[in-house]
Amino acid sequence: MKKIFVFLVTALLCFPSLSHAQVEIIKPLTVKGGIGGGLSLGQSDFSDFNGYNLGGKLKLDIKALPFKLVGHAHYNSFSADIDVFGQEVSVDTEIISVGGGIEYSLLPLPMISPYLSGDLAMNFYSGDNTDSESRFGAGLGVGAQVDLPLMPISFDVEAKYRLNNAFNKEDNEGDSNHFQIWAQVMFDIF
């Protein structure tokens, strides 16, 4: 019995990693929420309009899936100076977008995870020269999530081309697309 005890103690001393082995617990589900803002730059028939955006994002990471499920809500404020009968007139337009999509991580590194993103959204328009209306849209983009070690927050930076009225457009309605660049602070929720 004494020989077995000496053998076990010797084995533990020779292999200290075995004596301090820890099992890393991987949660099957994590949820992050974030708030942020950035620039909104009009494109296509909407190219005279530029402004800013504010909003939030919710990321659901189910480890069994190769992508993250994402929900968003953001407010875009646009303005433009338009020539009306030889006189410059300032026009303001707002788009509130609510939608969901996916983020596919390209190369998950320890601190930074670049991704491709795509989403579908319901867009609600209002403004100076527009009746309030809604349109279905889509967005395609790239981004990166930066996780800081030992910090309860992370940062998310994304650039996305938004097709605001890709679906259910009326006849002779122009394209109100925009390029959206935004950064967010993300918090662990679950």
Side-chain angles (χ1 to χ4, degrees), residues 103-178:
E103 288 180 359
Y104 179 76
S105 187
L106 296 172
L107 182 65
L109 300 172
M111 285 182 54
I112 186 166
S113 298
Y115 60 82
L116 296 174
S117 63
D119 66 49
L120 295 174
M122 186 66 173
N123 299 303
F124 303 94
Y125 291 81
S126 62
D128 292 340
N129 294 343
T130 348
D131 293 331
S132 293
E133 52 191 35
S134 60
R135 297 286 183 267
F136 286 105
L140 296 171
V142 295
Q145 181 173 308
V146 179
D147 297 308
L148 301 175
L150 305 174
M151 296 288 288
I153 62 171
S154 56
F155 298 95
D156 188 88
V157 179
E158 184 177 41
K160 188 171 279 188
Y161 191 81
R162 303 207 67 82
L163 306 157
N164 295 313
N165 59 347
F167 311 104
N168 76 324
K169 254 195 286 197
E170 293 182 5
D171 293 339
N172 300 323
E173 181 179 340
D175 295 328
S176 64
N177 304 336
H178 76 277

Side-chain angles (χ1 to χ4, degrees), residues 11-21:
L12 286 175
L13 291 175
C14 290
F15 302 104
S17 62
L18 293 176
S19 64
H20 297 294

Side-chain angles (χ1 to χ4, degrees), residues 27-30 59-69:
K27 294 190 236 177
L29 169 72
T30 58
K59 290 187 182 190
L60 178 66
D61 187 4
I62 302 169
K63 300 299 182 202
L65 297 176
F67 53 83
K68 293 177 184 168
L69 299 173

Side-chain angles (χ1 to χ4, degrees), residues 12-14 18 28 44 53-54 67 75 80-81 87 92-93 95 97 114 116 133 178 182 184:
L12 286 175
L13 291 175
C14 290
L18 293 176
S44 317
N53 61 70
L54 301 170
F67 53 83
Y75 166 82
D81 293 328
Q87 189 176 21
D92 295 324
T93 299
I95 301 174
S97 180
L116 296 174
E133 52 191 35
H178 76 277
W182 66 335
Q184 299 167 79

